[in-house]
Amino acid sequence: MIMQKKECLVVVDMQNDFVNGSLGTAEAQKIFERVKSRIAEAKGKGWDVVFTRDTHDENYLETQEGRNLPVEHCRKGTAGWEIADGLRANERVFDKPTFGSTELGEYMRDKNYERVELIGVCTDICVISNALLIKAFCPETEVCVRADCCAGVSPERHETALRAMSACQICIL
């Protein structure tokens, strides 16, 4: 009997506010259908699929992030906070008040995946943060980022983040 590799797809912050809301970009809208297809493909292969969700409270503008990015977004319980329509069924969601989720890193370590692939937004903020956290929690796990299923704040910042992750032994697909 052939053992199937234990793999997980992490969908980072594909929320309404980042696709077509207060921080939405043309780049995020452009990858939406590819992200949707990649989720279906991963599920079809028997991979686990999990989501992260940027989560802020009413005091967001008083936080360090809010002072540096004074745009209300992903406020818990709002339509902008929700995962974009058509992407999620019953998968696990990691709500995170900051760029990276240590809870996600611990989950990956405890699940002992052989390979983890990340897709989503923003390549240069939350994707890179979570990829590096997973690499820190799981140094022997193959961590990959699928470039054509990610969008950065700008195309230039997307490319810069991909180069930085590659330098940290994160596979860029």
Side-chain angles (χ1 to χ4, degrees):
M1 182 168 117
I2 298 174
M3 293 270 301
Q4 186 174 354
K5 219 173 166 182
K6 194 171 173 188
E7 298 176 286
C8 185
L9 179 68
V10 179
V11 183
V12 178
D13 295 359
M14 286 298 294
Q15 296 163 258
N16 292 322
D17 271 350
F18 290 126
V19 176
N20 54 23
S22 61
L23 290 174
T25 64
E27 288 81 10
Q29 292 165 17
K30 205 180 307 179
I31 67 164
F32 184 84
E33 289 302 321
R34 285 194 301 268
V35 165
K36 190 174 182 178
S37 294
R38 187 67 185 136
I39 293 167
E41 184 180 346
K43 287 180 181 180
K45 292 179 178 178
W47 293 19
D48 291 343
V49 176
V50 300
F51 286 77
T52 67
R53 183 167 48 197
D54 197 37
T55 302
H56 301 296
D57 293 318
E58 57 278 344
N59 72 335
Y60 170 74
L61 294 175
E62 299 165 21
T63 66
Q64 182 175 345
E65 179 184 333
R67 289 188 299 273
N68 286 292
L69 178 64
V71 178
E72 289 270 353
H73 66 283
C74 300
R75 190 163 167 193
K76 188 174 185 171
T78 66
W81 173 71
E82 297 294 338
I83 302 295
D85 288 341
L87 296 183
R88 181 176 173 258
N90 296 313
E91 297 82 10
R92 171 122 187 227
V93 176
F94 294 87
D95 289 335
K96 56 184 189 58
T98 187
F99 306 138
S101 171
T102 56
E103 183 183 4
L104 175 66
E106 291 168 349
Y107 175 86
M108 292 297 156
R109 179 192 60 216
D110 294 346
K111 287 287 192 172
N112 198 30
Y113 290 107
E114 294 175 57
R115 183 174 186 275
V116 176
E117 180 180 311
L118 293 92
I119 61 176
V121 295
C122 290
T123 319
D124 49 316
I125 302 172
C126 293
V127 173
I128 192 172
S129 295
N130 285 290
L132 290 169
L133 272 169
I134 293 168
K135 195 67 173 162
F137 275 90
C138 312
E140 294 303 317
T141 297
E142 180 184 14
V143 179
C144 301
V145 170
R146 186 164 295 277
D148 69 344
C149 288
C150 289
V153 171
S154 69
E156 297 79 18
R157 287 177 62 174
H158 169 78
E159 289 301 324
T160 298
L162 294 174
R163 284 192 303 276
M165 287 185 281
S166 179
C168 294
Q169 300 179 0
I170 293 169
C171 173
I172 306 302
L173 305 171

